[in-house]
Amino acid sequence: MKILVCLSNVPDTTSKITFTDNNTAFNSNGIQYIINPYDEIALAKAVELAEGGKGTVTVIHVGEAAAEPTIRKALAVGADDAVRVNAVARDAWFVANQIAHYAKEQQFDLILTGRESIDYNGAQVQGFLGELLSIPSISIAKKLTINETEATVEREIEGGKEVLTVSLPIVVGTAEGVAEPKIPNMRGIMTARTKPLQVAEPVDVPLLSKIAHYETPPARGQVKLIDKAEIAQLVNLLHSEAKVI
């Protein structure tokens, strides 16, 4: 089974987020990047499915060379090879088109993404991929099993869960529960240095959207401590300042 895992390179959650160019561009200076946590789940599941010679795992990332340490970490976790599409990932539509172009040439049985990236939280790439490749796509998968040419996917829906059986090939957006993220060991780190990392040039994709501007959330106000005996004052502040009652 040939498995493709799509990786996003996202800022560490402890990063301080700022913008440049009149708040129209993300400021990457000083940012520490990591594999998108939901993509780590996808990668762990792919490695698990391919264990024992049952398949191969390729990871793909759309981004610049600065992301290669992230890709090498994925190889250390257990992927067999990697592809980096040499382009700035301007939006989900662009990224999906680059991945779909590669996937059409390679004919994968299973394509895994995270349910969303933790930077933009768009949850769009997985759906776009399904449409571009004309194959089923399933989002927010909580459990995934493969039986020869068929997948069983348990997914989260409003107020419950849904269990689907789907013939391969498919695209699945993975969430918590599908697998536990793997930590690379020393042997994996050493072998990752010699695994193939192909650099591919991007294909042209029409520009459908652009960033108008970014905004950060308003700063939190100072905490006011009210004595437990001053109920009237607390009610007044909740009404007049917090405006929650």
Side-chain angles (χ1 to χ4, degrees), residues 1-5 46 49-50 56-58 108-112:
M1 179 168 57
K2 291 181 64 177
I3 307 172
L4 180 67
V5 179
L49 289 171
T56 60
V57 178
T58 298
F108 292 95
D109 302 298
L110 178 64
I111 300 175
L112 298 178

Side-chain angles (χ1 to χ4, degrees), residues 76-241:
V77 167
D80 297 287
D81 59 358
V83 178
R84 179 176 66 82
V85 179
N86 189 30
V88 175
R90 65 183 189 225
D91 59 24
W93 174 245
F94 178 83
V95 170
N97 271 274
Q98 304 305 327
I99 296 173
H101 176 75
Y102 177 76
K104 282 178 182 175
E105 294 179 342
Q106 301 298 321
Q107 297 291 307
F108 292 95
D109 302 298
L110 178 64
I111 300 175
L112 298 178
T113 73
R115 62 179 287 179
E116 60 186 346
S117 63
I118 64 166
D119 49 3
Y120 289 93
N121 301 101
Q124 296 176 313
V125 169
Q126 166 257 319
F128 284 149
L129 277 175
E131 287 299 310
L132 291 167
L133 296 171
S134 297
I135 59 177
S137 64
I138 302 172
S139 62
I140 318 182
K142 307 289 283 188
K143 187 176 181 182
L144 169 65
T145 56
I146 304 293
N147 182 14
E148 296 184 353
T149 61
E150 188 176 78
T152 300
V153 182
E154 183 178 307
R155 65 184 297 268
E156 190 175 81
I157 60 173
E158 186 70 27
K161 65 180 181 181
E162 181 180 46
V163 180
L164 304 166
T165 56
V166 190
S167 297
L168 302 180
I170 58 171
V171 184
V172 180
T174 61
E176 304 91 335
V178 168
E180 287 296 322
K182 297 179 182 295
I183 299 173
N185 55 31
M186 184 54 67
R187 183 171 181 273
I189 293 170
M190 297 300 291
T191 57
R193 298 176 181 176
T194 59
K195 288 182 177 179
L197 197 171
Q198 174 191 350
V199 178
E201 292 305 313
V203 294
D204 290 334
V205 178
L207 180 64
L208 300 184
S209 67
K210 63 179 182 179
I211 302 297
H213 66 275
Y214 291 100
E215 293 181 7
T216 54
R220 293 183 178 180
Q222 291 185 333
V223 174
K224 288 186 177 180
L225 298 177
I226 308 298
D227 189 279
K228 62 182 179 182
E230 301 292 338
I231 300 299
Q233 183 185 2
L234 175 61
V235 172
N236 180 53
L237 289 173
L238 291 173
H239 178 70
S240 61
E241 291 191 10

